[in-house]
Amino acid sequence: STSMLSRRLISSRSSSITWLRSPVLVRRSTNTTTNNAAKQTASKSESSTAQSTTTTTSTKSSEQIATDASKSFAERNPFVFQLGVATAKTSAADILVQVVVDKKKWNEIDYKRNAIFVVFGFAYLGGFQYWLMVNKFNKWFPTRTRFAKLPLAEKVKDVAGMMDAAKMVAFDVFVHLPLIYFPSYYTCKEIVTGTSWNPLVWVKDGCTKYWNNKEEDCLAMIKLWGPSDCIQFSMPIHISMPFRHMVSFFWTAYVSFTRGGVEDDDKEGASQVKRRLSVSGDSA
């Protein structure tokens, strides 16, 4: 009986060992080990990819920050910069006219009148003109940004860019200045010098005065702003508008000085000249 029990135990152990060593269990164990190793490898690969992406993003971000830091304020904030230039320039031009042409002392300057020109320079010259000549021109004339960045030697070879630049000059000289700017300018003059508080009267009187002076004004405008536009529309965007505002300042000073020396023989004529010169303001 004891011998039979021992044989049974030995047989059972042998069967267990044989079952554990069976090919099916060995394959299952091998597959499990392989799958675990593959999961660990994939996890490491994902972790490495994520770290690489993070590093690349961080590097690009650092490079972008360094690039932005190397740019001037005008390049980083072109709209704000030219808006400040337009506003300050228009105010300075009006003060120049009051002091030099009207012979006012510093304590006699009409700051209420000057404030109106500050608003005009801020809203129209700095706001509307930027929207027109940067935002809209970039859409209407798609080569502008690329053309502005090219060196001069490459610009003269860029036919498409030169054609768009010529179109921008033509639009400014034949559409914007005569049809939009001058009516707005003369209306602003009526706000300052007119006796009515009716906006319709300001527009009517302003446009009437512009119509009476259109030949002189448009001829002077073409002589100055034609060549000036050729330079402006070939310049980088962030300095093209400040350049326009600077030309405008000297244009205002020129008009003030040349018209300020008129002899006042006729009182009525002198009054009209003085009224016209008193708000020389700006010219685009």
Side-chain angles (χ1 to χ4, degrees), residues 107-169:
N107 58 356
E108 297 175 342
I109 291 177
D110 186 349
Y111 289 104
K112 180 180 179 180
R113 161 183 142 177
N114 187 257
I116 294 175
F117 280 97
V118 169
V119 173
F120 181 76
F122 179 87
Y124 185 90
L125 303 178
F128 175 77
Q129 282 197 154
Y130 186 90
W131 171 82
L132 176 66
M133 296 188 175
V134 176
N135 296 346
K136 303 309 292 183
F137 274 20
N138 284 347
K139 293 180 180 179
W140 297 341
F141 310 106
T143 65
R144 185 192 180 183
T145 301
R146 175 184 58 78
F147 181 74
K149 294 179 180 179
L150 295 176
L152 181 60
E154 295 297 324
K155 280 185 172 69
V156 296
K157 300 177 183 178
D158 189 345
V159 177
M162 293 183 68
M163 288 295 294
D164 274 353
K167 292 176 184 177
M168 287 187 282
V169 173

Side-chain angles (χ1 to χ4, degrees), residues 12-29:
S12 176
R13 287 178 180 177
S14 298
S15 298
S16 299
I17 292 171
T18 302
W19 180 77
L20 289 173
R21 290 180 178 178
S22 65
V24 175
L25 288 180
V26 171
R27 284 198 298 272
R28 287 179 179 177
S29 177

Side-chain angles (χ1 to χ4, degrees), residues 17-87:
I17 292 171
T18 302
W19 180 77
L20 289 173
R21 290 180 178 178
S22 65
V24 175
L25 288 180
V26 171
R27 284 198 298 272
R28 287 179 179 177
S29 177
T30 303
N31 290 339
T32 301
T33 303
T34 303
N35 290 338
N36 290 337
K39 288 180 180 180
Q40 291 178 357
T41 303
S43 177
K44 289 181 180 180
S45 177
E46 291 176 358
S47 176
S48 176
T49 302
Q51 290 179 354
S52 176
T53 303
T54 303
T55 303
T56 302
T57 304
S58 177
T59 302
K60 289 182 178 179
S61 178
S62 299
E63 291 177 353
Q64 183 65 35
I65 293 173
T67 302
D68 291 342
S70 65
K71 293 181 178 179
S72 64
F73 178 82
E75 291 178 285
R76 297 195 307 271
N77 307 277
F79 173 73
V80 174
F81 178 72
Q82 68 85 35
L83 187 66
V85 172
T87 306

